[in-house]
Amino acid sequence: MGQMWTAYVTNPDTAPDLNNLPTFDPEYGFPDGRPEREMVASQEEMNMARVPMDKRDFCAHFYIAFLKCRRDNFPNLLNCRHAKHEYDHCEYEDFVIRMKEYERERRLLERGKRKRLVAEREALED
Amino acid sequence: MVISPSLIISSLNLGILTILLGSIFFFSKSYFSKGNVNFPLIKTTSACLSVNNDKEETIEYNSGPFAMAILKVLAFLSVLSLLVTCNNSIQSINITLSLWLSNTPLNISLNFIYDQYFLVFLSVALIVTWSIMEFSFYYMTEDPNSSAFFRLLTIFLLNMLILTCSNSLFLIFLGWEGGGFLSFLLISWWTTRNDASSSALEAVITNRIGNIGLITFMALSALNFNSSNLTNILSSNENLTPLLPFLLFGLILAAAGKSAQFGLHPWLPALLEGPTPVSALLHSSTMVVAGVFLLVRTSELFSSPLITHSLVLILGGTTALFAASTAIAQHDIKKIIAYSTTSQLGLMVTAIGIGQPALAFFHICTHAFFKAMLFLCSGSVIHSLSDEQDLRKMGGLSKLLPVTSSCLILGSLALMAPLLAGFYSKDLILEATSASVLNLLGIVLSIVATMLTAVYSFRIIFFCFSLSPSCSSPFSHSEENFNLNNALLRLATGTIASGWFFSNLLFAPPSFNVTSLAKGTPLIVPIIGVAALFMSLISSTSNSIGSNAHSATTSQWFFVDAVHLSIITMSLALSFFSSRTLDRGWQENIGPQGIAPTSTALSKISQAGQIGLIKRYILSSMASVLVILALSLLILS
Amino acid sequence: MALARCARCLRFDRFSPVVRVSSARYASGDVSLPGPYPETPEERAAAAKKYGMRVEDYEPYADDGWGWGDYPKLKKQHADDRDPHGDWDFPEDRRNWGEVMHIEQDLFVRQRPNAYKQNRKIPLWKQSMILGGILTTLATLGILGNKYKYFVPVGPKQYPFNNLYVEKGGDPDAVPDTPKNYTFPTSSYI
């Protein structure tokens, strides 16, 4: 609930737009550069495995492995707990990256606001 | 020809539908007089013969065992086809049998779609119907025409399966309408009861409102996508037509009418006038979920970010809250379970509203088991307590009816306690709610409804067990009937296992990344509800509670009274106005009452000329010839 | 007749023979209903007798052009409000044989909703206020909640291959430029 309190009550001016992230340059603040996200499964592989649209994210290869496991171990699907866990873990990591993106955006917005305020104060003092 | 899994599945499913269709014609009449009976024909394995000791010596032939046998076989067949599907990870098979109506540009064909939704629903529906048929063989033994009852149940099931498996909108409409009609027939089964017939009327009229929505959807999709096939409509790239809001409105209206969402809900509790097996089959597990099923099938239309998502969410949340808050104040055990059904339907619609149709479908499947079982339990209790439905007069049931009462506990717990069927799906829906961006009211409503669910579920348990028996003449030998016990125990197995089975072996539901608080919500909230219930039970006195809030929950938020009154007042005022102005007003004065005096006066004037003098006649004919000549000259010139 | 009516009203004894007389209380088929409006007291008495009512109870509709002749004005009572355990001739309809019906009887049968309930526990305006209050509150909260949405503090979900441009039905030859998706270097915060 804290995120909503911040976004709607205390700091509505620096609340990030949830649908348009990031508004800043992704490389900004990373002097050594930023690794790009790696997609393991190719488009053909996903097509062959008939992965649903919403599952074609960066964890699709784990999902394909999970599907494969289910197919191979058919009656005993409990064998696929490990594959499911791996897929879930990948999704969790993906979620963490999204959280970090949100937090980065928010902090950058607040930093921009701080800098703007400082600049205004200096302009007044001059 | 190679035997491919898709061939097996489609032939199995078509076979199931065909056998079901064919079996309808083999339900015989209940009674034969002895003279007409052809004994070798009747003494088949599926016939149940019992010779009454009446003077007339009628022989009772009941087709209950026949229906049970058919459904048992079909249930096993459907499980087989489900297993084949899982083994081959087939997503959907779309088969077109033949052109149905060829003279239309829409190409209406017998087009079936066998996807995971249908196959799971088929198995669940057949197993539940099998149990309910067995139960109704116990429940309807004394009914003089029970074979017709079993036949109606089977026809209903056939309609429901057509609705769920067909791809063509016209076939869907066929099943939709057939389900509504069969529900009308089954509710008014005891036709001489006024309550039953008025409830049936109410149901059928409310269903008509839903049908308006479905027809709107059909007409607009024919107009927009030039197709009546759901797959074509959903995959069409022109989804974003300006008429899309109207399409979605039609869908929502259809679903709200069929699934008893708030505003069109009053028919669902009224349906309890029908026999208990009907309530168990139609109004908890199969027919009422048809609306939600339609939304699940067409959920891809909802993907565009319109206000409809929010609307569906609020509609579902309001229904869930309304029904749950009403259920906690009812005393009729069947009413509590009926409102609980409405509340769970609201939760399913909520799941549609957050864009998780698979979870809504999961909830449909688990809900079918435990809600059907709860209804069967209530039927057993009511039968045993000689038609006593008041919850407050039940008590100490665990001593009298051990199997029924344990199943009753199980079903009530399934809604709130972990490791049982309802919790698997409900927990997932709440988790998905707390992991998505949505209207704040939606999540609040669903959480409050969950709390109230625990309250009314626990209330049933409390009243059935805590007190001592308070009924006058209980006869508990009904549990010796193995038809009752088998049905209950089968559904109880489903209640225990189905959630685990579906989530692990069939659906592989998505995992959500939520905080520990949100993860714990489905567990914490029922505990709070049960604690609040205990507090109020301890502190409540024998005095009746007279507050307005209490009355609002007991009388369903006054919805029925207020709406009925407003509709009646409006239509009466309109008809009074039209009667005063049209029937007995200016229309009457100008029309029928005006024409007669006018024509009388005119004929009197012309009568003045007709006095029998030849000169007058010649003069008048000359005058008319002159007039005609003058006129023709005038026109020609 | 008066005695019979009394016995009917008070229900002294359902087996007493006077009660049986009351079932004769109906307008016979010879009479066309409704008759002309009764002007004189004698006509009123005759009309009341025709409908099996006492003269004191008999009150026809006003003869203002919209009336119903000598048809009596009866109490608007829905069948649901009648005694459910009463000794009716037709218990399902809660009606006696030969009973004078209201002129708009079709509004008061069991199959129609009951909008004529007298002496409600909570008056109707209060009921409407409560219902309206609940619905208005829900609507207000819904509109507010639509503005202030519930959300989890995460960015939008990222998809590879130009946000699945081709998979979503885009033209494979004209793939637009979408921003790349980056992860975070693990060592940057240590």
Side-chain angles (χ1 to χ4, degrees):
Chain A
M1 300 289 128
Q3 76 275 11
M4 288 159 63
W5 183 256
T6 316
Y8 293 135
V9 184
T10 53
N11 294 317
D13 50 342
T14 59
D17 182 3
L18 278 176
N19 298 318
N20 287 319
L21 279 180
T23 50
F24 296 91
D25 178 18
E27 306 261 13
Y28 178 72
F30 292 93
D32 303 335
R34 226 178 132 184
E36 216 175 300
R37 289 195 76 171
E38 248 182 276
M39 182 66 192
V40 180
S42 69
Q43 277 165 308
E44 288 75 31
E45 277 172 358
M46 293 197 294
N47 285 342
M48 295 294 276
R50 287 183 295 199
V51 181
M53 282 296 278
D54 55 336
K55 300 254 168 36
R56 300 195 173 197
D57 52 3
F58 290 94
C59 299
H61 52 291
F62 285 115
Y63 187 71
I64 293 171
F66 175 53
L67 285 183
K68 209 169 163 184
C69 168
R70 276 171 73 91
R71 187 197 64 192
D72 293 344
N73 293 299
F74 164 60
N76 184 15
L77 296 182
L78 298 178
N79 265 358
C80 299
R81 275 173 298 183
H82 182 63
K84 175 88 161 83
H85 178 75
E86 272 190 333
Y87 174 61
D88 281 350
H89 186 72
C90 177
E91 287 287 343
Y92 167 74
E93 295 288 342
D94 180 72
F95 192 78
V96 171
I97 288 174
R98 288 164 62 198
M99 279 172 78
K100 283 180 178 171
E101 283 285 353
Y102 179 89
E103 191 62 18
R104 174 169 177 270
E105 175 82 8
R106 193 182 66 82
R107 290 186 188 187
L108 283 175
L109 280 171
E110 286 202 343
R111 183 164 176 269
K113 188 186 170 189
R114 268 201 313 275
K115 282 171 84 175
R116 203 172 60 241
L117 287 179
V118 168
E120 279 176 10
R121 202 179 306 139
E122 279 173 0
L124 279 176
E125 281 168 4
D126 285 343
Chain B
M1 191 175 179
V2 186
I3 296 180
S4 66
S6 55
L7 188 73
I8 297 174
I9 292 165
S10 37
S11 45
L12 267 179
N13 289 316
L14 278 177
I16 288 173
L17 284 182
T18 321
I19 294 174
L20 210 53
L21 179 66
S23 74
I24 291 167
F25 299 100
F26 291 94
F27 286 82
S28 311
K29 280 195 173 173
S30 293
Y31 286 109
F32 292 88
S33 69
K34 199 176 178 183
N36 298 338
V37 164
N38 190 357
F39 275 104
L41 190 76
I42 287 181
K43 276 185 183 167
T44 50
T45 49
S46 63
C48 169
L49 282 170
S50 67
V51 181
N52 288 353
N53 294 328
D54 291 344
K55 289 174 203 164
E56 298 170 4
E57 292 261 336
T58 55
I59 287 185
E60 191 178 333
Y61 169 81
N62 198 311
S63 50
F66 170 68
M68 267 148 45
I70 286 280
L71 283 170
K72 190 196 273 179
V73 170
L74 293 186
F76 284 127
L77 281 181
S78 71
V79 171
L80 188 65
S81 77
L82 186 64
L83 287 180
V84 174
T85 321
C86 288
N87 192 12
N88 295 284
S89 64
I90 287 163
Q91 286 185 345
S92 78
I93 304 167
N94 199 338
I95 59 165
T96 306
L97 281 189
S98 69
L99 217 56
W100 185 21
L101 300 173
S102 54
N103 282 337
T104 55
L106 289 177
N107 235 353
I108 299 167
S109 50
L110 287 176
N111 198 335
F112 297 108
I113 182 163
Y114 297 134
D115 58 351
Q116 207 188 21
Y117 287 145
F118 167 67
L119 290 166
V120 176
F121 188 86
L122 176 72
S123 302
V124 170
L126 280 171
I127 292 172
V128 167
T129 315
W130 168 28
S131 307
I132 288 172
M133 199 67 91
E134 201 167 347
F135 175 80
S136 46
F137 185 52
Y138 149 76
Y139 195 82
M140 305 293 284
T141 33
E142 291 171 10
D143 196 283
N145 202 11
S146 50
S147 289
F149 183 77
F150 300 139
R151 175 165 45 214
L152 286 187
L153 282 187
T154 316
I155 298 174
F156 163 76
L157 181 69
L158 181 70
N159 274 309
M160 196 62 210
L161 294 184
I162 287 176
L163 162 65
T164 44
C165 76
S166 57
N167 193 15
S168 162
L169 276 178
F170 286 86
L171 275 179
I172 287 183
F173 188 71
L174 195 74
W176 185 274
E177 190 61 356
F181 178 59
L182 263 298
S183 124
F184 173 77
L185 287 184
L186 283 167
I187 301 158
S188 57
W189 177 250
W190 291 310
T191 35
T192 49
R193 295 190 60 212
N194 244 327
D195 288 333
S197 62
S198 49
S199 316
L201 264 183
E202 188 175 357
V204 92
I205 289 169
T206 320
N207 269 325
R208 288 293 81 74
I209 300 177
N211 280 4
I212 293 173
L214 191 60
I215 292 173
T216 313
F217 177 68
M218 284 167 67
L220 286 181
S221 58
L223 194 69
N224 266 320
F225 310 119
N226 198 21
S227 167
S228 67
N229 278 8
L230 266 186
T231 35
N232 289 359
I233 293 167
L234 295 180
S235 61
S236 165
N237 283 330
E238 302 152 24
N239 264 350
L240 286 170
T241 54
L243 288 177
L244 187 64
F246 297 97
L247 273 168
L248 294 182
F249 172 75
L251 271 183
I252 294 172
L253 185 65
K258 203 73 168 176
S259 291
Q261 296 301 302
F262 185 76
L264 297 175
H265 64 273
W267 64 275
L268 188 58
L271 293 189
L272 302 176
E273 293 300 330
T276 301
V278 175
S279 314
L281 178 60
L282 276 71
H283 311 125
S284 62
S285 45
T286 46
M287 190 189 85
V288 286
V289 300
V292 182
F293 195 90
L294 186 74
L295 288 186
V296 169
R297 266 282 156 80
T298 54
S299 57
E300 285 161 51
L301 279 179
F302 287 81
S303 58
S304 49
L306 276 168
I307 192 127
T308 32
H309 247 132
S310 212
L311 202 68
V312 173
L313 181 73
I314 297 295
L315 181 69
T318 312
T319 312
L321 176 73
F322 161 76
S325 70
T326 311
I328 59 172
Q330 300 294 318
H331 294 307
D332 186 340
I333 187 170
K334 279 178 86 177
K335 277 233 157 111
I336 297 179
I337 303 173
Y339 278 114
S340 151
T341 307
T342 317
S343 169
Q344 298 309 310
L345 288 172
L347 202 66
M348 291 171 201
V349 174
T350 308
I352 303 274
I354 56 175
Q356 296 284 357
L359 296 188
F361 182 73
F362 186 17
H363 201 52
I364 286 177
C365 293
T366 53
H367 177 259
F369 280 107
F370 64 79
K371 201 45 69 68
M373 188 179 73
L374 275 177
F375 262 115
L376 296 196
C377 287
S378 73
S380 162
V381 169
I382 291 165
H383 226 233
S384 302
L385 300 187
S386 44
D387 295 338
E388 181 55 64
Q389 304 203 0
D390 198 323
L391 192 63
R392 293 165 296 185
K393 294 184 186 167
M394 299 167 184
L397 284 181
S398 51
K399 307 271 193 317
L400 304 171
L401 306 162
V403 177
T404 306
S405 51
S406 42
C407 287
L408 201 60
I409 296 190
L410 202 63
S412 301
L413 282 181
L415 276 167
M416 52 180 185
L419 300 179
L420 290 175
F423 192 78
Y424 277 92
S425 43
K426 196 165 174 174
D427 176 49
L428 270 175
I429 290 177
L430 283 181
E431 253 175 49
T433 318
S434 55
S436 45
V437 180
L438 76 165
N439 196 323
L440 191 53
L441 183 63
I443 187 167
V444 174
L445 285 181
S446 46
I447 287 176
V448 174
T450 310
M451 193 172 80
L452 295 177
T453 302
V455 173
Y456 64 69
S457 302
F458 207 82
R459 198 160 152 260
I460 297 179
I461 300 178
F462 181 82
F463 275 100
C464 285
F465 289 88
S466 65
L467 311 170
S468 49
S470 53
C471 46
S472 53
S473 63
F475 54 102
S476 56
H477 61 264
S478 64
E479 281 204 352
E480 289 167 12
N481 190 321
F482 63 92
N483 280 324
L484 169 67
N485 278 356
N486 279 356
L488 283 180
L489 292 177
R490 191 175 307 122
L491 289 175
T493 317
T495 307
I496 296 169
S498 67
W500 178 85
F501 180 79
F502 287 145
S503 67
N504 277 309
L505 303 184
L506 280 182
F507 288 139
S511 307
F512 299 99
N513 299 294
V514 290
T515 57
S516 44
L517 178 69
K519 186 83 184 164
T521 305
L523 202 57
I524 299 166
V525 161
I527 294 174
I528 296 174
V530 172
L533 175 73
F534 263 112
M535 295 284 284
S536 63
L537 279 177
I538 289 166
S539 63
S540 72
T541 56
S542 56
N543 297 334
S544 64
I545 311 166
S547 75
N548 285 350
H550 182 257
S551 303
T553 48
T554 43
S555 16
Q556 301 119 46
W557 293 7
F558 306 124
F559 182 85
V560 174
D561 272 2
V563 167
H564 277 172
L565 191 76
S566 59
I567 289 175
I568 286 176
T569 317
M570 272 195 315
S571 59
L572 260 189
L574 198 68
S575 50
F576 184 76
F577 176 74
S578 77
S579 140
R580 286 271 162 129
T581 52
L582 302 180
D583 290 353
R584 301 168 77 183
W586 59 266
Q587 193 217 29
E588 181 80 359
N589 289 343
I590 293 176
Q593 302 293 341
I595 288 171
T598 319
S599 56
T600 315
L602 282 176
S603 43
K604 272 186 182 157
I605 291 170
S606 69
Q607 211 178 9
Q610 320 284 338
I611 49 174
L613 286 179
I614 197 76
K615 284 182 190 169
R616 288 278 179 92
Y617 288 133
I618 293 172
L619 187 67
S620 63
S621 53
M622 290 297 288
S624 47
V625 166
L626 277 178
V627 168
I628 290 167
L629 279 177
L631 276 180
S632 51
L633 277 177
L634 208 67
I635 292 165
L636 289 175
S637 62
Chain C
M1 197 69 200
L3 184 67
R5 275 210 51 79
C6 237
R8 186 86 209 163
C9 297
L10 297 175
R11 296 187 177 283
F12 281 126
D13 180 8
R14 50 182 301 186
F15 300 110
S16 86
V18 280
V19 180
R20 301 265 171 254
V21 180
S22 67
S23 29
R25 190 164 55 87
Y26 68 101
S28 88
D30 314 335
V31 192
S32 69
L33 293 178
Y37 184 78
E39 303 281 355
T40 59
E42 290 78 33
E43 281 176 8
R44 276 179 85 95
K49 190 169 183 336
K50 187 169 79 175
Y51 290 106
M53 305 176 77
R54 294 198 303 175
V55 187
E56 292 85 4
D57 293 343
Y58 177 73
E59 174 63 41
Y61 284 87
D63 190 23
D64 55 355
W66 308 109
W68 299 101
D70 65 348
Y71 205 85
K73 193 193 271 180
L74 298 173
K75 199 170 78 175
K76 283 188 176 180
Q77 192 191 29
H78 194 272
D80 279 359
D81 294 335
R82 296 185 166 194
D83 181 10
H85 309 293
D87 180 24
W88 304 105
D89 291 343
F90 306 102
E92 279 298 328
D93 294 329
R94 299 188 190 160
R95 208 154 75 71
N96 283 320
W97 190 71
E99 191 181 349
V100 185
M101 290 188 287
H102 193 274
I103 190 85
E104 277 159 354
Q105 174 69 19
D106 53 345
L107 284 172
F108 305 117
V109 292
R110 296 286 308 281
Q111 276 86 358
R112 297 280 169 276
N114 178 8
Y116 304 95
K117 198 173 175 183
Q118 302 295 321
N119 305 322
R120 289 168 197 264
K121 197 171 145 202
I122 295 178
L124 200 64
W125 63 268
K126 215 180 215 177
Q127 293 190 7
S128 320
M129 294 273 282
I130 291 173
L131 177 67
I134 295 172
L135 293 184
T136 320
T137 316
L138 280 178
T140 319
L141 287 179
I143 291 166
L144 275 181
N146 225 14
K147 194 179 171 197
Y148 300 106
K149 290 202 180 225
Y150 171 85
F151 67 91
V152 186
V154 290
K157 192 152 174 70
Q158 299 163 350
Y159 287 101
F161 304 121
N162 296 306
N163 211 0
L164 299 179
Y165 178 76
V166 181
E167 279 86 348
K168 282 180 184 163
D171 184 10
D173 296 329
V175 180
D177 243 10
T178 40
K180 289 174 182 169
N181 294 313
Y182 294 93
T183 177
F184 287 84
T186 41
S187 58
S188 61
Y189 293 110
I190 300 168

